[in-house]
């Protein structure tokens, strides 16, 4: 199937289906996707002139579109956390469609879709499905020829009030739903790659600063592979971002024999409202409501809550710790496999993914215990086969036992798995300097590389 950066949209437009009714069917049939498909077929595709196989195919398309828009799960018809938000508001259609529109804008390339249309209109271009597809491709967004993905997405945005008619944008509605307007988005789009990645890195770090300018640069390079001109950082990145109102700079003082210290960089209200808050909101949509307040706290505050006498609070804090660590390197959250409350707040398992250069799946095991044992690592290695993970991250607030490290070394020597181990001392370093996670991951990567070294000359 050709790649599409817009969600699959066949048999899912508001002209074909009613979203509240689909939400009700998904809730009723939960994990039974076959019963869900039959219910959708009976409701929308029961035309006697259509063959039974085609009816089922149409219903299946609707199910696939619901998955593509993040409303039902990837393996069955159960509602996702976002789907449950929509289901709970199905009786208030105004709120329902506003929430769905906000989701499309933020998580389904909706902002880029609208901005592309505004840019084409400003340039006096005639907008058709063909010219719009080419315009999106010029912006790095692929849409297959003949697909309904563009039309379906536009119709849902029109249902939410972003489009008044076919390609006429209601910019006041767009601004109100998104929290920022086309001018601000255009300003962000005009930034150079290193400037955008520098801002995203600040957004991924706790609270927006102050952070040392070279720490941000270091983390941005490790996370996004962005090359920075170290001598020209102030000229090329810091001063333009300051002048645009995204950051403030405080000049360092000279150290003994070391020249000027790096700038202290702090996010402004503009950066927090236009980048940090939207990133947090996207992350929060994927998580349980009780976890969301923790995601806005500093790593130090989360670690304090991990010492709470309340085991439920400890479990939530441990889960938030995993989010914080993986957010630093900009991985995408997929699922939580084990709630902290079920283990007395002692452990939590999460899955993250990345798609920079190559696809990777990261399996995170966080333990709020004195020591990680061999058995703890063995359990994760066993799970990695069914999860198809590339990387296992073992995080301990205490220590990683010698038995656990030796077993991890053996597994890395014999398989393609990479096992990263972080202990309490590493967490102290990362809490003090978020960019220290680069050093920790680099240390672990080099260790894995040594274990996996192959004799090229002796190979057949």
């Amino acid at each position: 199937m050709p790649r599409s950066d817009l969600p699959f949209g066949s048999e899912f437009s508001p002209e074909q289906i009613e979203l509240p009714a689909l939400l009700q069917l998904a809730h009723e049939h939960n994990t039974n996707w076959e019963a869900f498909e039959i219910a959708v077929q009976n409701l929308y595709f029961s035309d006697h002139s259509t063959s039974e196989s085609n009816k089922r195919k149409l219903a299946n398309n609707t199910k696939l579109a619901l998955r593509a828009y993040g409303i039902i799960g990837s393996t069955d018809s159960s509602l996702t956390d976002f789907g449950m938000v929509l289901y709970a508001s199905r009786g208030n259609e105004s709120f329902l469609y506003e929430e769905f529109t906000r989701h499309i804008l933020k998580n389904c390339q909706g902002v880029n879709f609208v901005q592309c249309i505004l840019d084409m209109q400003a340039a006096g271009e005639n907008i058709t499905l063909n010219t719009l597809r080419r315009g999106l491709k010029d912006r790095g967004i692929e849409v297959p020829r003949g697909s309904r993905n563009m039309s379906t997405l536009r119709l849902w945005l029109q249902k939410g009030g972003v489009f008044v008619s076919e390609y006429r944008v209601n910019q006041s509605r767009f601004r109100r739903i998104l929290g920022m307007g086309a001018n601000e988005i255009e300003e962000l789009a005009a930034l150079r790659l290193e400037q955008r990645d520098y801002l995203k890195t600040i957004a991924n770090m706790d609270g927006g600063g102050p952070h040392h300018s070279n720490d941000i640069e270091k983390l941005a390079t490790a996370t996004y592979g962005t090359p920075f001109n170290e001598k020209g950082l102030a000229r090329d990145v810091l001063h333009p971002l300051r002048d645009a109102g995204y950051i403030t700079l405080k000049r360092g003082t000279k150290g003994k024999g070391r020249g000027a210290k790096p700038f202290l960089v702090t996010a402004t209200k503009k950066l927090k409202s236009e980048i940090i808050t939207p990133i947090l909101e996207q992350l929060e949509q994927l998580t349980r409501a009780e976890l969301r307040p923790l995601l806005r706290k500093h790593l130090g505050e989360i670690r304090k809550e991990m010492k709470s006498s309340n085991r439920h609070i400890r479990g939530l804090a441990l889960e938030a710790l995993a989010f914080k660590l993986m957010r630093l390197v900009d991985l995408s959250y997929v699922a939580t496999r084990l709630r902290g409350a079920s283990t007395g707040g002692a452990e939590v398992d999460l899955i993250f993914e990345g798609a920079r250069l190559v696809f990777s799946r990261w399996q995170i095991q966080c333990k709020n215990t004195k020591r990680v044992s061999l058995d703890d690592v063995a359990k994760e290695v066993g799970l990695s086969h069914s999860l198809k993970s590339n990387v296992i991250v073992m995080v301990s607030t205490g220590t990683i036992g010698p038995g656990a490290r030796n077993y991890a070394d053996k597994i890395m020597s014999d398989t393609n798995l990479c096992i990263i181990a972080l202990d309490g001392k590493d967490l102290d370093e990362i809490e003090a300097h978020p960019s220290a996670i680069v050093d920790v991951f680099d240390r672990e990567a080099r260790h894995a590389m040594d274990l996996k070294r192959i004799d090229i000359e002796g190979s057949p």
Side-chain angles (χ1 to χ4, degrees), residues 13-14 113 129 147-156 167:
S13 84
F113 183 82
L129 287 176
S147 76
R148 301 180 190 176
N149 303 353
M150 288 188 299
S151 297
T152 297
L153 188 139
R154 188 196 64 76
L155 285 168
W156 281 118
Y167 294 116

Side-chain angles (χ1 to χ4, degrees), residues 128-143:
T128 65
L129 287 176
N130 285 332
T131 60
L132 180 54
R133 184 176 59 80
R134 289 197 295 269
L136 290 169
K137 186 173 183 178
D138 290 341
R139 290 158 176 80
I141 300 171
E142 294 286 344
V143 186

Side-chain angles (χ1 to χ4, degrees), residues 48 100 171 208 249 350-351 356 365 423 443 451-452:
H48 295 297
F100 191 34
Q171 295 210 38
L249 300 174
L350 298 99
I351 301 168
R356 287 187 293 276
Q365 161 76 186
D423 60 20
R443 176 195 74 203
L451 292 170
K452 295 175 182 290

Side-chain angles (χ1 to χ4, degrees), residues 215-285:
D215 282 346
I216 302 170
E217 175 194 351
K218 178 181 179 180
L219 186 54
T221 299
T223 302
Y224 301 108
T226 311
F228 288 89
N229 178 355
E230 185 179 344
K231 292 184 178 179
L233 182 67
R235 179 193 66 231
D236 299 338
V237 177
L238 300 181
H239 292 162
L241 294 180
R242 178 199 60 192
D243 296 343
Y246 290 113
I247 61 174
T248 61
L249 300 174
K250 183 178 179 181
R251 184 174 293 279
T253 57
K254 289 185 177 181
K256 294 181 180 179
R258 297 187 180 181
K261 290 184 178 179
F263 282 100
L264 283 175
V265 180
T266 304
T268 62
K269 289 183 179 178
K270 182 177 182 179
L271 175 56
K272 290 178 180 178
S273 65
E274 294 184 10
I275 298 179
I276 294 179
T277 298
I279 285 177
L280 276 171
E281 287 177 348
Q282 288 181 41
L283 179 61
E284 288 170 358
Q285 284 182 4

Side-chain angles (χ1 to χ4, degrees), residues 190-200 236-237 240-241:
L191 294 176
R192 292 163 54 178
L193 175 65
E194 62 266 35
Q195 294 167 349
R196 290 200 303 271
D197 287 349
Y198 201 85
L199 287 182
K200 284 193 294 184
D236 299 338
V237 177
L241 294 180

